[in-house]
Amino acid sequence: MAESTGVDRGIQSLIAARKSLKLSLEKSKAIGLALGKTGPRFEEIEQRLPLLEAAVRPIRADGEALKDVGGNINRAVGPAAAVLKVFDAVHGLEKSLLSDPKNDLSSYLSVLKRLEEALKFLGENCGLAIQWLEDIVEYLDDHHVADEKYLSNLKKSLRGLSEFHNDGGGVEEKERSQLRLDGGLRNAALDKLENEFWRLLKDNSVPLPMASPSSLGDQACIAPSQLPVTVIHKLQAILGRLRANNRLDKCISIYVEVRSSNVRASLQALDLDYLDISISEFNDVQSIEGYIAQWGNHLEFAVKHLFEAEFKLCNDVFERLGLNVWMDCFSKIAAQAGMLAFLQFGKTVTDSKKDPIKLLKLLDIFTSLNKLRADFNRLFGGAACIEIQNFTRDLIKRIIDGAAEIFWELLVQVEIQKQTPPPSDGGVPRLVSFVTDYCNKLIGDKYKSTLTQVLLIHKSWRSERFQDNQLMVEVLRIIKAIEQNLDVWMKAYPDQTLAHFFGMNNHWHLYKNLKGTKIGDHLGDSWLKEHEQYKEYYATVFLRDSWGKLPSHLSREGLILFSGGHATARDLVKKRLKAFNDAFDEMYKKQASWVLPEKDLRDRVCQQIVQAIVPVYRSYMQNYGPLVEKDASSSKYVRYTVVALEKILSSLYLPKPMRYGSFKGTPPSEKLKNDVDLRRTTSAVV
């Protein structure tokens, strides 16, 4: 029993030992597995030990340094946190500023102003925050409170921030800095405002309506083409924001482009193509004379209505920006819209060929400019319009110099014409008719005061005096030079009959065209009467020595009819009719090309010729015509009926030859054969 008990105990001990070994083996396995897993962790810990060492290094720093580091960090983090908060606010404005300002311009401008204020805050405080952060990093580095690698990374980041924010002190650098701060948001918003400025102008700028160029004179009171007040206020508000952001120049360019284009569109209805005419495109002023009259009306319309309206509008829109800004803006509009083109046309006229007609046209241009002098001084008198001022001054000088030069040379030009031959038709030389009419115009109401003013200015430039009556004195000298020319020309005719015809013609022209005029009043009644008497004298001599000789060919001597003497009488009538016809044809052929331009003189002379010849011819034909009408060869002697003869004589000296069709060079008897039957009975002749 005892042994059995001992064995049992031994077995139990073995079982217990086996269990213990088994447990030990299992624990060993577990420990082995745990150790297998712990190896990599030790490696990881080993790798992190330097970082842990750096993290706990501040514990080994000086106690005072550790004590102050917290305050320094708080002071640096405060400004940085404020900057970050404003950055968040800036990004919050992005949606509003990327919308169309047209929808609510007032709100848009308000949001943009908030952005500007935020950017101003960032501009002023980013540098401060960076400086504080740099100071704390420097403190940590100096007191060995942080890891060197960590501090190196911080310094690198701060250097990047400093370069990013560096404004360099210049305006452009500051703008680029702010652009980096807001990511271009402000510039995008300003671009939208510029577009809105353009849209407001474009949508509300309407060309001035005109029915036609011919109705220009009826538009004396045209309402200025202004913009609505609400639009002007919006434009001013946009300009305020753009000016605050140094974007004013672009806006002014937009304004000038739109408004000058609007003025040009208004002027298109006037058909101003003539303003582009160059000096090489015309030979003399007469070729563009009509354009010069239009030019004065068009210039007055442009200045008083279009440019006046733009002047006022520039003041309204840009008044808050100062005089220099809006005057500069207006000057650009005036130049681009065509003001310089108007002045250039005037200069082209002054450059044209010099002739007397040009003097009148220069005076017309001077009158137009002088009429607008007050408007020019007010609209274009500022420093910004210096180009227009200089161009205008140069134009006026050219006009005055050119007009004075032509006027003072008139007398010389008239005297030179003495050397030219007189007209072969005995008419009034173009010089005489032109000068009499021309001088009447110069002294007339339209030009006298202007020409006097021009000559007075021209003399003053040369420090010379201009007498009040000097203009009239010079004109009278020109007229008297014409008189002298007439005397020279009359003596130049080899044919005295033509010379007398010429004298009659020209003395009557002077009398008629100067009587009742200012020139005639200054010349006096005795001068005029003298020319009238000269006309009468030369007319009498001319008729006596030419047509007055024809009736003598129709003598009745030897034509006393008696029984058995018909044949002798018929032969005498034939002979005398033939002599009359030959003399008449020769006289007509000689004088057919002569002219009397003045209708009253022509009618009177023709009437005198008719009275001198036709009654004698009628009586002769009534008495002796029947003697030859029965003859087979009567057409050789009775070439003209009384009616035909009177018609021929009444049609002499017309300014335009070929009154009876195109029969140049054909004898008058042949001219009328196709139209008038010359073989009439005595009753038909009557």
Side-chain angles (χ1 to χ4, degrees):
M1 189 71 172
E3 289 179 0
S4 173
T5 302
V7 172
D8 291 338
R9 289 179 178 174
I11 292 171
Q12 291 177 355
S13 296
L14 288 172
I15 292 171
R18 184 177 64 83
K19 288 181 179 180
S20 178
L21 287 172
K22 186 178 180 180
L23 288 173
S24 296
L25 287 173
E26 290 176 354
K27 287 181 180 180
S28 296
K29 289 180 180 180
I31 292 171
L33 291 173
L35 288 173
K37 294 178 180 180
T38 303
R41 291 181 64 189
F42 276 120
E43 292 177 0
E44 183 181 350
I45 291 172
E46 185 178 3
Q47 292 174 357
R48 292 177 61 189
L49 279 176
L51 296 176
L52 292 174
E53 182 181 3
V56 299
R57 186 175 298 162
I59 301 174
R60 298 178 299 177
D62 182 77
E64 291 297 325
L66 289 173
K67 180 179 179 181
D68 294 337
V69 76
N72 288 331
I73 291 175
N74 290 335
R75 282 193 297 273
V77 171
V83 167
L84 290 174
K85 185 176 181 180
V86 174
F87 264 118
D88 291 338
V90 167
H91 289 298
L93 302 176
E94 184 173 353
K95 182 178 180 181
S96 298
L97 292 176
L98 294 180
S99 65
D100 194 341
K102 162 183 181 179
N103 300 325
D104 189 349
L105 180 61
S106 178
S107 297
Y108 192 91
L109 292 172
S110 177
V111 173
L112 178 58
K113 189 174 182 181
R114 287 168 54 194
L115 173 64
E116 293 169 12
E117 293 171 349
L119 292 178
K120 182 180 179 182
F121 176 85
L122 291 176
E124 293 173 350
N125 291 277
C126 277
L128 181 61
I130 293 171
Q131 184 178 352
W132 278 101
L133 290 173
E134 288 176 341
D135 288 344
I136 189 58
V137 169
E138 184 178 353
Y139 180 87
L140 294 175
D141 189 17
D142 291 343
H143 295 83
H144 307 288
V145 176
D147 179 63
E148 292 180 0
K149 186 176 181 180
Y150 175 72
L151 290 175
S152 176
N153 290 335
L154 280 177
K155 290 178 181 179
K156 183 178 180 181
S157 299
L158 288 174
R159 278 197 301 272
L161 285 174
S162 294
E163 293 173 358
F164 182 81
H165 180 263
N166 182 26
D167 56 25
V171 175
E172 293 183 0
E173 288 295 335
K174 289 181 178 179
E175 290 179 353
R176 284 196 290 269
S177 175
Q178 292 189 1
L179 176 64
R180 291 191 292 264
L181 289 173
D182 68 353
L185 179 59
R186 183 180 61 163
N187 275 353
L190 294 174
D191 289 342
K192 286 183 173 293
L193 279 183
E194 287 177 351
N195 291 335
E196 177 62 7
F197 188 87
W198 178 88
R199 188 195 67 78
L200 286 169
L201 278 174
K202 195 69 175 176
D203 291 352
N204 293 279
S205 294
V206 181
L208 196 64
M210 285 181 289
S212 67
S214 60
S215 64
L216 185 63
D218 301 329
Q219 300 184 357
C221 300
I222 299 175
S225 178
Q226 297 283 10
L227 300 178
V229 175
T230 54
V231 173
I232 292 177
H233 289 165
K234 289 181 179 180
L235 294 176
Q236 289 176 333
I238 293 175
L239 285 170
R241 292 269 52 84
L242 291 172
R243 184 190 190 192
N245 289 277
N246 298 314
R247 293 277 287 261
L248 193 58
D249 290 345
K250 179 69 178 295
C251 245
I252 291 177
S253 298
I254 292 172
Y255 185 89
V256 170
E257 176 188 352
V258 174
R259 293 306 299 180
S260 59
S261 175
N262 190 67
V263 175
R264 287 196 301 272
S266 298
L267 290 172
Q268 282 180 354
L270 301 181
D271 190 14
L272 300 178
D273 291 344
Y274 67 87
L275 294 180
D276 297 325
I277 292 178
S278 65
I279 189 65
S280 61
E281 292 182 76
F282 61 91
N283 296 323
D284 52 45
V285 174
Q286 288 181 325
S287 62
I288 60 167
E289 188 173 355
Y291 290 138
I292 295 175
Q294 291 183 45
W295 177 86
N297 293 330
H298 292 165
L299 176 63
E300 181 176 359
F301 172 78
V303 171
K304 286 187 173 293
H305 299 293
L306 299 179
F307 292 123
E308 175 71 30
E310 294 305 318
F311 184 83
K312 293 178 179 178
L313 187 59
C314 278
N315 182 29
D316 291 341
V317 174
F318 294 98
E319 62 178 341
R320 298 177 184 176
L321 305 181
L323 178 66
N324 291 339
V325 174
W326 72 264
M327 280 298 293
D328 180 65
C329 188
F330 169 72
S331 71
K332 292 176 180 176
I333 292 174
Q336 294 184 22
M339 189 62 215
L340 293 177
F342 276 107
L343 298 175
Q344 178 60 49
F345 177 82
K347 180 178 179 296
T348 300
V349 175
T350 65
D351 289 336
S352 64
K353 181 180 177 182
K354 184 170 60 177
D355 61 49
I357 291 296
K358 179 180 175 179
L359 169 57
L360 301 181
K361 298 303 105 183
L362 291 177
L363 294 178
D364 287 338
I365 294 176
F366 182 85
T367 299
S368 297
L369 292 173
N370 196 44
K371 184 179 179 181
L372 297 171
R373 182 173 56 179
D375 298 285
F376 266 66
N377 290 338
R378 181 169 49 83
L379 298 179
F380 311 115
C385 295
I386 189 66
E387 183 179 11
I388 294 177
Q389 293 170 30
N390 290 338
F391 211 134
T392 304
R393 279 193 291 268
D394 179 66
L395 174 58
I396 291 175
K397 187 177 187 306
R398 285 170 171 267
I399 291 171
I400 292 175
D401 287 341
E405 182 180 1
I406 294 173
F407 178 77
W408 295 119
E409 287 184 0
L410 285 176
L411 178 60
V412 176
Q413 294 300 320
V414 170
E415 292 174 339
I416 289 175
Q417 294 299 313
K418 286 180 185 177
Q419 304 170 9
T420 61
S424 60
D425 59 8
V428 178
R430 183 176 181 275
L431 175 70
V432 176
S433 59
F434 175 82
V435 168
T436 52
D437 178 64
Y438 188 75
C439 288
N440 278 328
K441 286 182 178 179
L442 292 180
I443 302 299
D445 295 336
K446 182 177 180 180
Y447 290 111
K448 182 180 179 181
S449 60
T450 303
L451 179 55
T452 301
Q453 184 180 2
V454 166
L455 296 177
L456 177 63
I457 295 172
H458 188 259
K459 287 282 188 180
S460 68
W461 287 349
R462 300 186 174 197
S463 300
E464 300 175 1
R465 292 187 61 188
F466 182 77
Q467 303 295 336
D468 293 340
N469 65 339
Q470 193 167 349
L471 175 59
M472 181 59 73
V473 169
E474 190 68 19
V475 169
L476 295 181
R477 290 178 64 193
I478 294 172
I479 296 298
K480 291 177 180 179
I482 287 290
E483 282 186 291
Q484 296 174 5
N485 285 15
L486 293 181
D487 293 339
V488 173
W489 285 330
M490 281 192 66
K491 295 175 182 177
Y493 283 109
D495 184 346
Q496 285 301 303
T497 302
L498 182 56
H500 295 149
F501 183 86
F502 173 83
M504 170 188 68
N505 226 338
N506 285 273
H507 284 288
W508 177 249
H509 180 86
L510 289 179
Y511 173 80
K512 181 179 179 181
N513 288 276
L514 295 177
K515 182 177 175 61
T517 66
K518 293 180 180 179
I519 296 176
D521 293 342
H522 278 80
L523 289 169
D525 290 338
S526 60
W527 186 92
L528 293 169
K529 189 67 175 177
E530 182 181 358
H531 282 279
E532 185 181 25
Q533 291 171 347
Y534 273 128
K535 185 270 297 183
E536 292 293 341
Y537 169 76
Y538 289 124
T540 301
V541 175
F542 162 72
L543 290 171
R544 183 194 66 194
D545 295 344
S546 57
W547 298 101
K549 294 181 178 181
L550 263 64
S552 63
H553 292 288
L554 300 176
S555 172
R556 302 186 182 217
E557 184 179 354
L559 293 177
I560 299 175
L561 299 180
F562 51 87
S563 176
H566 285 279
T568 302
R570 184 167 53 247
D571 290 342
L572 283 174
V573 169
K574 287 181 179 180
K575 181 179 179 181
R576 289 171 182 173
L577 282 175
K578 184 177 184 304
F580 173 83
N581 289 335
D582 291 344
F584 178 85
D585 287 351
E586 182 181 357
M587 187 72 68
Y588 184 89
K589 182 179 180 181
K590 177 181 179 181
Q591 297 189 20
S593 61
W594 295 5
V595 297
L596 289 172
E598 303 289 350
K599 185 179 184 303
D600 53 349
L601 178 61
R602 183 172 65 251
D603 291 344
R604 184 177 176 183
V605 170
C606 288
Q607 184 182 11
Q608 289 175 337
I609 295 174
V610 168
Q611 290 174 350
I613 298 175
V614 172
V616 175
Y617 185 76
R618 179 186 292 112
S619 175
Y620 197 84
M621 291 302 296
Q622 286 175 344
N623 290 314
Y624 307 109
L627 291 175
V628 296
E629 285 178 349
K630 296 178 182 179
D631 194 288
S633 60
S634 63
S635 61
K636 293 172 57 178
Y637 306 105
V638 184
R639 297 181 187 176
Y640 305 104
T641 65
V642 173
V643 174
L645 189 67
E646 184 174 358
K647 186 176 182 181
I648 291 172
L649 294 174
S650 299
S651 302
L652 285 168
Y653 313 129
L654 292 171
K656 295 180 180 179
M658 279 75 76
R659 179 65 178 262
Y660 290 99
S662 57
F663 41 71
K664 184 176 181 181
T666 308
S669 58
E670 293 183 21
K671 294 178 192 175
L672 297 174
K673 280 183 180 178
N674 295 329
D675 300 323
V676 182
D677 184 3
L678 304 180
R679 290 167 291 185
R680 305 295 184 100
T681 62
T682 303
S683 59
V685 171
V686 177

